[in-house]
Amino acid sequence: MKNVKELIVRLLSLTALTAVMSTCLMSCSSTQEDEYYDAYFTAMDTQITVRLARDSGQRDGKKTVYFEDAHLEAVAAECADIAKRIESIFSRTDENSLTYEVNGAADTFFLLDEEFCDLTKRAFDISAKTNGAFDITLGTVTELWDITGEAPAVPSDDEISEALTHCGQDKLTLDGTTLTKSDRLTKLDFGAIAKGYALSVITDHLKSTDILYGLVSFGGNVSVFGSKGEESKFKVGITDPSDTSQVVGYVYVDNGYVSVSGDYERYFEADSVRYHHIMDPATGRPCESDISSVSVICNNGALADALSTALFVMGSDAAMEYYSDGPYQFEAVLTLKDGRTLVTGNLESKALFEDTAPEEEGQQ
Ligand code: AMP
Ligand code: MG
């Protein structure tokens, strides 16, 4: 069993990057003196920030040569295009998306898009390796609850039982690029993995450009890439679920991904009960976990996203055991409903997690 550190939550009063993210569509902020060029846009129902280092790495004598705004704007626009393309494949609600088509009542789909098939296979694999805690076949359940819809209401027990009969990986067979549904009503929901996947694709793209370093923030997911020189790590604040304007601490990330799943992110309230968006596949209801949020740090965006959801569903004891004995390499910060924060062993020993910091890069 790896060492697990229990941190007493210490609230910090800090402004956060997210507070600055108020503009939608493609807008940007930057002056020549700024270290970063920031671009903001919306995709997958989420506000996205692309933060690019302005330093080109070139020197004119002793002077730094900065990229032109037009260049940085073009690179950020490429990121926005990638996000839109991935949205058009994996959105559950967009009537023009491939996922929407697959979710329609039909049996077999031939020659599906390769990217769709690849992520579906990875999702099935993660589902198997998390004992079904992460499950992309929950579409009928998430649609029934419609937590982020216009007028969400608590469904009846019968409705939940009925929706659950259409869930489960055994209802789908993926053979190459052909998908067969044994239950026409089964629906896919990539909500717990698609943003992290998009983040990976965008980050890989940025690494292939001449941008030296930066970060991308995509809802509850953030990636950092490149090297800042001597100070190579980015500091990412972990939101305090009991007061989302505060953080419980910071992780330091160097070329990696942080993904957060929290009960404070998307929810509705009825009769003073909070119904959040992370479903327990065993019950078809919002998961009654002792966890309020899970932040996963690892080197793959899709995995970080899926794992943060899965660990939330598992609950803290099983999640910490999974960290020790499970198949994946990752680190995690768990904030519990009782106010404690659990940190996995390597974060502690490598001093990647702190509960105080003088200034921040961003907050998740
Ligand atoms: P995240 O914020 O990454 O934890 O993803 C939550 C979203 O994924 C929800 O809004 C649902 O669309 C979907 N979802 C909810 N519960 C699960 C689950 N147990 N496994 C996979 N996807 C889920
Ligand atoms: Mg997730």
Side-chain angles (χ1 to χ4, degrees):
M1 181 82 179
K2 289 176 204 162
N3 188 16
V4 172
K5 183 183 182 189
E6 223 172 272
L7 271 179
I8 302 300
V9 177
R10 182 160 163 216
L11 300 180
L12 299 165
S13 176
L14 290 162
T15 52
L17 174 71
T18 43
V20 187
M21 291 193 268
S22 57
T23 352
C24 294
L25 296 170
M26 200 69 185
S27 62
C28 54
S29 74
S30 132
T31 64
Q32 280 286 320
E33 300 83 51
D34 288 339
E35 183 181 2
Y36 296 106
Y37 174 95
D38 287 337
Y40 311 107
F41 55 93
T42 306
M44 296 175 154
D45 210 12
T46 304
Q47 208 156 306
I48 300 163
T49 301
V50 176
R51 168 166 277 204
L52 306 174
R54 299 180 56 86
D55 184 346
S56 70
Q58 310 287 319
R59 299 287 174 265
D60 179 6
K62 283 190 174 167
K63 275 174 67 184
T64 303
V65 178
Y66 293 104
F67 285 124
E68 297 286 334
D69 272 9
H71 176 60
L72 297 163
E73 190 182 338
V75 172
E78 288 161 11
C79 297
D81 287 347
I82 293 171
K84 301 267 186 222
R85 177 177 61 73
I86 293 175
E87 178 176 26
S88 76
I89 302 173
F90 295 108
S91 169
R92 180 178 65 80
T93 49
D94 176 357
E95 293 179 12
N96 297 314
S97 80
L98 180 55
T99 298
Y100 193 90
E101 193 187 328
V102 168
N103 285 348
D107 311 304
T108 306
F109 299 86
F110 297 106
L111 290 177
L112 283 173
D113 174 83
E114 269 188 36
E115 211 170 359
F116 176 91
C117 297
D118 286 349
L119 191 63
T120 303
K121 278 184 203 133
R122 275 168 79 185
F124 282 177
D125 187 50
I126 296 170
S127 189
K129 288 181 174 147
T130 56
N131 255 328
F134 169 80
D135 185 352
I136 59 162
T137 71
L138 285 175
T140 47
V141 168
T142 52
E143 190 177 272
L144 176 67
W145 282 88
D146 197 20
I147 302 270
T148 51
E150 304 258 300
V154 183
S156 70
D157 291 352
D158 284 351
E159 286 173 316
I160 294 171
S161 303
E162 206 282 323
L164 272 176
T165 62
H166 306 296
C167 302
Q169 225 162 279
D170 56 325
K171 311 275 188 310
L172 300 164
T173 312
L174 187 59
D175 183 9
T177 53
T178 300
L179 180 80
T180 309
K181 286 160 74 173
S182 64
D183 178 344
R184 290 177 151 232
L185 298 182
T186 296
K187 294 187 175 180
L188 295 174
D189 182 339
F190 291 93
I193 192 169
K195 293 189 190 83
Y197 168 70
L199 198 57
S200 279
V201 179
I202 288 170
T203 306
D204 286 347
H205 175 68
L206 287 170
K207 285 178 180 170
S208 76
T209 68
D210 49 9
I211 307 298
L212 291 183
Y213 59 90
L215 68 81
V216 185
S217 168
F218 205 130
N221 304 272
V222 70
S223 76
V224 305
F225 68 94
S227 171
K228 286 176 75 176
E230 277 174 28
E231 233 192 81
S232 70
K233 287 187 176 18
F234 287 83
K235 200 181 295 169
V236 179
I238 305 292
T239 297
D240 178 358
S242 64
D243 179 352
T244 53
S245 67
Q246 310 287 319
V247 297
V248 295
Y250 295 85
V251 286
Y252 291 80
V253 188
D254 184 7
N255 277 303
Y257 298 83
V258 184
S259 172
V260 184
S261 288
D263 61 8
Y264 59 88
E265 288 180 310
R266 293 174 189 219
Y267 63 87
F268 73 96
E269 277 174 351
D271 295 331
S272 308
V273 178
R274 180 184 286 197
Y275 296 94
H276 62 77
H277 69 141
I278 303 167
M279 297 288 152
D280 185 342
T283 64
R285 296 167 187 279
C287 178
E288 288 183 18
S289 174
D290 63 336
I291 296 174
S292 261
S293 80
V294 180
S295 306
V296 168
I297 302 100
C298 77
N299 62 9
N300 181 290
L303 182 64
D305 194 358
L307 273 186
S308 64
T309 309
L311 298 179
F312 189 103
V313 173
M314 288 178 199
S316 66
D317 287 348
M320 282 306 193
E321 238 171 76
Y322 193 76
Y323 167 73
S324 306
D325 307 329
Y328 298 115
Q329 284 226 324
F330 66 93
E331 299 298 331
V333 179
L334 277 55
T335 65
L336 306 191
K337 289 201 175 110
D338 66 11
R340 287 179 301 146
T341 301
L342 304 183
V343 183
T344 52
N346 277 339
L347 278 189
E348 181 203 7
S349 61
K350 289 184 185 163
L352 291 174
F353 186 80
E354 277 187 358
D355 62 350
T356 58
E359 56 188 48
E360 79 287 1
E361 296 283 359
Q363 183 182 357
Q364 281 307 296

